[in-house]
């Protein structure tokens, strides 16, 4: 599942090519993937592509928005002649002919370029939204982890009311948006905090460390274009991320901890694989 760094990377890449494009055709290959009417978007120009939490927001010239969530297996692929950029779930569709059998939505633009939304498992979606709908959608989320206005004090006040494990609290998007399993495991290793500790047991100083480590980890993920674990696709230019090369604990069971050299352990926590170092994460 793409996490914040992957989604941010896709939004940034699309923002280099989509602004000024005029949508001339909408093809819906699967009705489950699209909510809206083509009259709301046809012949309108794209102004900007941005992201909040894991939602990609395409702003149109008529004050409407296309909201896109990739969920488990979504991909966005922009294609113009020989140029192809995008991201999301790594599959052969990154490089094969499009539309494919997994293409759910196709947007065609006046200059002959296209944007494909592919999604094997059909959990992802594209919705046409007005300002009010967008606000309602975004109010479900706490501030982004990389939002500079988020303070350790705010997080501390949320955490002290919760008896869930600190890792579970960090994955709760209503508290803080944009932290997924890979980056949370790594951030807690940087902060040297045991992921199983109740969130209310953390001192303000420890929350400060966790916030700093989380930001640092997610920023590094963005800098490296996110994480691509599927070895078949790690070298595809304009798509693959490189964070997997610098991962600290995620996927490194029985390998040495980068802080202390002791071995990384994997345990389940709330159903998710949780990697940590029992020696230095206390
Ligand atoms: Zn360690």
């Amino acid at each position: 599942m793409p996490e914040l760094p992957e989604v941010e990377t896709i939004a940034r890449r699309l923002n280099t090519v989509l602004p000024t494009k005029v949508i001339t055709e909408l093809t819906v290959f699967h009705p489950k993937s699209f909510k809206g009417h083509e009259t709301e978007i046809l012949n309108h120009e794209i102004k900007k592509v941005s992201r909040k939490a894991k939602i990609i927001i395409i702003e149109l010239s008529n004050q409407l928005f296309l909201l896109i969530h990739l969920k488990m297996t979504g991909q966005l692929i922009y294609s113009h002649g020989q140029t192809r950029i995008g991201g999301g779930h790594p599959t052969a569709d990154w490089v094969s002919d499009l539309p494919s059998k997994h293409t759910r939505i196709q947007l065609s633009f006046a200059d002959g370029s296209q944007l494909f939304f592919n999604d094997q498992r059909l959990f992802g979606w594209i919705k046409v939204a007005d300002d009010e709908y967008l606000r309602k959608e975004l109010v479900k989320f706490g501030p982004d982890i990389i939002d500079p206005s988020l303070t350790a004090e705010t997080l501390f006040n949320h955490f002290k009311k919760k008896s869930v494990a600190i890792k579970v609290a960090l994955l709760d998007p209503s508290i803080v948006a944009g932290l997924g399993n890979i980056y949370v495991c790594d951030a807690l290793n940087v902060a040297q905090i045991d992921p199983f500790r109740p969130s209310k047991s953390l001192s303000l100083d420890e929350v400060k460390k966790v916030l700093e480590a989380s930001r640092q980890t997610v920023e590094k993920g963005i800098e490296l274009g996110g994480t691509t674990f599927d070895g078949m696709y790690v070298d595809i230019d304009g798509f693959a991320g490189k964070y997997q090369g610098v991962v600290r604990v995620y996927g490194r069971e029985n390998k040495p901890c980068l802080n202390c050299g002791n071995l990384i352990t994997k345990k389940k926590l709330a159903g998710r694989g949780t990697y940590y170092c029992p020696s230095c994460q206390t």
Side-chain angles (χ1 to χ4, degrees):
M1 180 187 293
E3 297 193 16
L4 184 148
E6 290 83 67
V7 181
E8 174 72 16
T9 300
I10 296 168
R12 286 185 189 181
R13 284 175 183 158
L14 292 180
N15 196 46
T16 65
V17 288
L18 290 185
T20 75
K21 305 272 178 196
V22 176
I23 304 170
T24 50
E25 203 182 338
L26 164 76
T27 314
V28 178
F29 294 96
H30 200 295
K32 191 172 175 235
S33 307
F34 189 80
K35 212 172 144 190
H37 297 283
E38 66 172 17
T39 50
E40 297 170 302
I41 64 169
L42 288 192
N43 303 312
H44 292 293
E45 186 184 296
I46 293 178
K47 304 301 270 184
K48 185 171 107 180
V49 185
S50 60
R51 174 204 59 80
K52 168 81 195 188
K54 290 205 287 184
I55 298 175
I56 291 169
I57 303 166
I58 299 182
E59 187 186 336
L60 303 177
S61 52
N62 60 347
Q63 271 99 49
L64 293 179
F65 303 88
L66 284 168
L67 309 185
I68 305 172
H69 203 307
L70 301 173
K71 296 282 179 173
M72 302 288 290
T73 58
Q75 301 174 325
L76 279 171
I77 298 174
Y78 168 83
S79 170
H80 194 188
Q82 297 300 308
T83 305
R84 246 195 207 195
I85 60 164
H89 191 59
T91 71
D93 281 339
W94 278 4
V95 287
S96 54
D97 286 346
L98 294 175
S100 75
K101 64 175 179 179
H102 298 124
T103 300
R104 310 306 181 188
I105 310 290
Q106 177 180 338
L107 292 176
S108 303
F109 304 110
D111 64 355
S113 58
Q114 292 134 344
L115 182 69
F116 297 93
F117 176 69
N118 302 332
D119 187 16
Q120 291 184 353
R121 294 183 61 185
L122 286 167
F123 292 121
W125 43 254
I126 299 186
K127 292 176 188 171
V128 182
D130 59 12
D131 217 32
E132 197 193 331
Y133 186 95
L134 176 64
R135 251 198 314 259
K136 271 195 220 149
E137 195 71 30
L138 297 185
V139 88
K140 302 171 191 164
F141 299 102
D144 265 13
I145 186 69
I146 52 172
D147 180 341
S149 69
L150 173 66
T151 65
E153 285 75 12
T154 307
L155 277 184
F156 177 73
N157 287 329
H158 282 294
F159 291 162
K160 74 180 180 194
K161 292 180 215 139
K162 302 225 164 221
S163 35
V164 294
I166 179 63
K167 185 192 168 209
V168 175
L170 286 167
L171 289 172
D172 179 349
S174 70
I175 298 177
V176 53
L179 276 172
N181 202 28
I182 300 171
Y183 300 96
V184 160
C185 287
D186 274 14
L188 287 171
N189 179 257
V190 173
Q192 301 193 318
I193 298 286
D194 178 355
F196 288 83
R197 267 180 66 184
S199 76
K200 63 181 176 195
S201 74
L202 271 72
S203 68
L204 179 59
D205 263 359
E206 288 175 319
V207 174
K208 275 185 188 158
K209 268 195 219 162
V210 168
L211 175 61
E212 214 169 280
S214 301
R215 279 188 174 143
Q216 193 187 311
T217 306
V218 167
E219 300 276 9
K220 190 174 223 174
I222 294 171
E223 196 187 301
L224 295 173
T227 309
T228 305
F229 275 117
D230 192 322
M232 269 174 76
Y233 305 107
V234 291
D235 293 323
I236 298 179
D237 235 21
F239 284 88
K242 296 192 162 46
Y243 184 79
Q244 64 281 1
V246 299
V247 85
R248 293 184 65 90
V249 289
Y250 188 86
R252 295 189 63 242
E253 193 178 9
N254 293 323
K255 299 212 168 112
C257 168
L258 302 179
N259 298 324
C260 71
N262 287 301
L263 298 186
I264 306 294
T265 296
K266 181 188 181 186
K267 274 191 193 163
K268 281 235 164 172
L269 174 56
R272 312 289 300 274
T274 299
Y275 298 86
Y276 69 109
C277 170
S279 306
C280 70
Q281 291 182 243
T282 54

